[in-house]
């Protein structure tokens, strides 16, 4: 079975219904989040998230021409920190703790929802929710910046609370990626919606664990893939071409039912566009806890040193962290 032969489709209504935490985070809670005793910000973040949940739960829907009253505080909570500190665990715990209606999605899934439904219809549907949780919040281009500014303004005015995770402080969004200074007002508008909670610490996925296993030979990789029911085997270049024709919001559907992914002749991403698609693809594999095995270059070499020095450095490091974790023998 090859991922590059698949053509996943997701309808508009299904997009809305599917806005729930990914399978990896089906059963998480604040109780199952174990703060690192050496990082006090983690325990403090749990308390901040629980306080936010209480505010959301106590909210009474109020429609007003003037939006939210001042005494209600900021409508958003923004979890900022490095990769592997449990921000997504905390975001999903918020979602599970809040009564519905509610929606959860990655940043790219939320922006795609607006693209599919249209802005007015997306606002209409999401305005009926008590909470919108956005994972991997990032402004990668001017279009996203303008869209998200308008969306958050409309939703928070309608009484929707927003919780988000990111590797970048809200007033630094877009930095190093486009002419962010030209959109400073929009970025500041987004930032003003959130109380920022810092979550520090080392990447839990790699505490005391060995490095990723070395790549297999092509023959070993093929034998392994053929021995596993539900596994896929793709040439790396062909998978990259397939990811280019599939919207990133459908990458989750692409790997539904897959038990393991095998990639032959892995090499460094040739350009930024391919690299960012691989980040989104890796995130969906991690969400679903799908093991990964490769031949060619190791997964730690997916992104060049030049890319790792650029504006998407944090995204690339997060992707490497997650993919290496998936490549370790269980």
């Amino acid at each position: 079975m090859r991922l590059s032969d698949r053509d996943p489709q997701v309808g508009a209504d299904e997009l809305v219904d599917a806005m729930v935490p990914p399978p990896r985070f089906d059963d998480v809670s604040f109780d199952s989040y174990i703060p690192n005793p050496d990082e006090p910000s983690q325990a403090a973040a749990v308390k901040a998230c629980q306080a936010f949940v209480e505010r959301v739960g106590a909210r009474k829907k109020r429609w007003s021409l003037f939006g939210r009253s001042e005494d209600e505080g900021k409508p958003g909570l923004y979890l900022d920190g490095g990769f592997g500190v449990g921000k997504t665990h905390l975001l999903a715990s918020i979602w599970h703790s809040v009564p519905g209606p509610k929606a959860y999605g990655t940043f790219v899934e939320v922006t795609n929802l607006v693209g599919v439904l249209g802005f007015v219809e997306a606002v209409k549907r999401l305005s009926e929710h008590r909470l919108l949780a956005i994972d991997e919040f990032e402004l990668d281009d001017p279009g996203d910046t303008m869209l998200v500014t308008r969306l958050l303004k409309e939703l928070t005015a309608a009484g929707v609370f927003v919780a988000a995770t990111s590797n970048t402080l809200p007033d630094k969004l877009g930095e190093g990626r486009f002419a962010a200074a030209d959109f400073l007002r929009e970025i500041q508008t987004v930032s003003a919606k959130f109380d920022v909670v810092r979550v520090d610490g080392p990447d839990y996925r790699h505490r005391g664990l060995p490095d990723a296993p070395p790549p297999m030979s092509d023959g070993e990789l093929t034998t392994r893939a053929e021995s596993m029911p539900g596994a896929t085997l793709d040439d790396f270049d062909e998978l990259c071409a397939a990811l280019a024709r599939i919207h990133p919001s459908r990458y989750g559907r692409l790997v539904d039912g897959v038990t393991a992914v095998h990639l032959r002749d892995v090499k460094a991403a040739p350009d930024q566009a391919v690299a960012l698609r691989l980040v989104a693809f890796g995130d969906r594999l991690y969400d679903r806890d799908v093991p990964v095995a490769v031949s060619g270059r190791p997964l730690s070499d997916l992104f060049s040193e030049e890319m790792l020095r650029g504006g998407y450095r944090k995204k690339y490091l997060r992707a490497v962290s997650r993919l290496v974790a998936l490549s370790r023998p269980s």
Side-chain angles (χ1 to χ4, degrees), residues 54-173:
E54 290 180 8
R55 286 176 50 209
V56 178
R59 188 263 307 189
K60 290 182 171 58
K61 191 81 167 183
R62 283 191 274 177
W63 295 93
S64 167
L65 292 175
F66 304 102
R68 182 185 302 273
S69 64
E70 288 296 322
D71 61 2
E72 290 181 275
K74 291 186 178 181
L77 181 73
Y78 193 101
L79 299 173
D80 169 68
F83 43 89
V85 295
K87 299 188 304 296
T88 300
H89 184 134
L90 291 173
L91 184 70
S93 298
I94 290 173
W95 190 90
H96 287 304
S97 302
V98 169
K102 54 191 175 181
Y104 180 111
T106 63
F107 184 80
V108 70
E109 288 169 340
V110 172
T111 54
N112 182 60
L113 179 73
V114 178
V116 171
L117 296 180
F119 185 83
V120 173
E121 181 63 19
V123 168
K124 177 183 175 182
R125 295 199 188 201
L126 293 176
S127 292
E128 299 170 355
H129 288 62
R130 185 182 293 262
L131 171 74
L132 173 61
I134 307 175
D135 200 15
E136 302 157 23
F137 194 104
E138 195 52 87
L139 302 180
D140 289 340
D141 60 58
D144 281 349
T145 302
M146 301 297 288
L147 175 66
V148 171
T149 301
R150 288 182 61 205
L151 182 66
L152 292 184
K153 179 179 178 181
E154 295 278 352
L155 294 181
T156 54
V160 180
F161 284 82
V162 180
T165 71
S166 182
N167 303 121
T168 304
L169 286 166
D171 61 350
K172 301 296 184 183
L173 291 165

Side-chain angles (χ1 to χ4, degrees), residues 8-61:
Q9 299 296 323
V10 184
D13 289 336
E14 191 177 0
L15 279 175
V16 178
D17 294 340
M19 295 190 75
V20 299
R24 175 184 283 268
F25 300 99
D26 276 346
D27 301 313
V28 299
S29 67
F30 294 124
D31 288 339
S32 64
Y33 181 86
I34 309 299
N36 185 336
D38 297 326
E39 300 292 343
S41 67
Q42 294 187 8
V46 173
K47 292 181 179 179
C49 291
Q50 290 171 325
F52 180 74
V53 165
E54 290 180 8
R55 286 176 50 209
V56 178
R59 188 263 307 189
K60 290 182 171 58
K61 191 81 167 183

